[in-house]
Amino acid sequence: MTNQTKDQHWEQQSLEKRMLYVMEHLIDDYGYPVNGAAGVVGNLVAESGVIPNRIEGSAPGTPMRSQNFAGAVVNHTPQAIMNRNSAQHVGPARPGIGLAQWTAPPRRAGLFSHPFDGGGGLGANAVFSMDDQIDYLADEIHDVYAGVNAFLKKSTVQVNDACDEVVYNYEVPGAIIQGGSRLPRSDPRVRDVFAKRRPSAQAALNAYRAAHP
């Protein structure tokens, strides 16, 4: 397993390398079975392209560039991303940030204050830290989404089922919401989201198997 290098520009690395990096850490450091880890990483591909400093509405090659509240496309600073404020028109117009595109204010704030590696939160520097975000993700699933955590860590879990569980009970994108509630798993719109994310989970699994035959 490789370790993060300081100031690494993850958007310049291949998607396969990014997927493998997160897979290895989830398996080696957090006890995920391979299929469970692949289910998580497949969703991170859909959310952020597995780029830690990716903000919502940006392109993979320019992960910190998106519209501000005035509608102009600009490069946002880490501080502006962390301190985003819709009332004061500070930072990106859209809230999503990081591997899982944390959006809700409490979850978003938690990313920047999350204690990491024996210290306090990284603050604005959390946008660049793959390791910190993996740790925050794993802790959040373990502490807040216990049902998801238990499902993913079953030794018999299948990769497609793991991928579906993460998107339905952890990520919960707008495409599976109607009237403020999740649509049932049997709804065609939910099935469509499942079908779109499963290939990325399989790709994450394949990347890991290729590196660890």
Side-chain angles (χ1 to χ4, degrees), residues 4 21 25 29-30 110-123 125-126 129-137 139:
Q4 180 183 41
Y21 188 90
H25 279 271
D29 296 340
Y30 301 97
L111 172 64
F112 299 105
S113 62
H114 174 65
F116 177 64
D117 201 22
L122 297 182
N125 287 329
S129 178
M130 181 77 90
D131 292 355
D132 178 46
Q133 292 195 26
I134 294 170
D135 192 64
Y136 180 55
L137 171 82
D139 281 1

Side-chain angles (χ1 to χ4, degrees), residues 55-56 66-69 76 80-81 84 90-95 108:
I55 57 177
E56 189 176 358
S66 73
Q67 283 191 340
N68 62 16
F69 285 98
H76 299 278
I81 293 169
R84 178 186 180 274
V90 172
R94 301 170 72 178
R108 196 179 189 282

Side-chain angles (χ1 to χ4, degrees), residues 19 37-47 163 197 200-202 204:
M19 291 191 299
V40 174
V41 176
N43 276 278
L44 301 185
V45 173
E47 294 292 332
C163 185
R197 297 198 177 204
S200 294
Q202 187 64 54

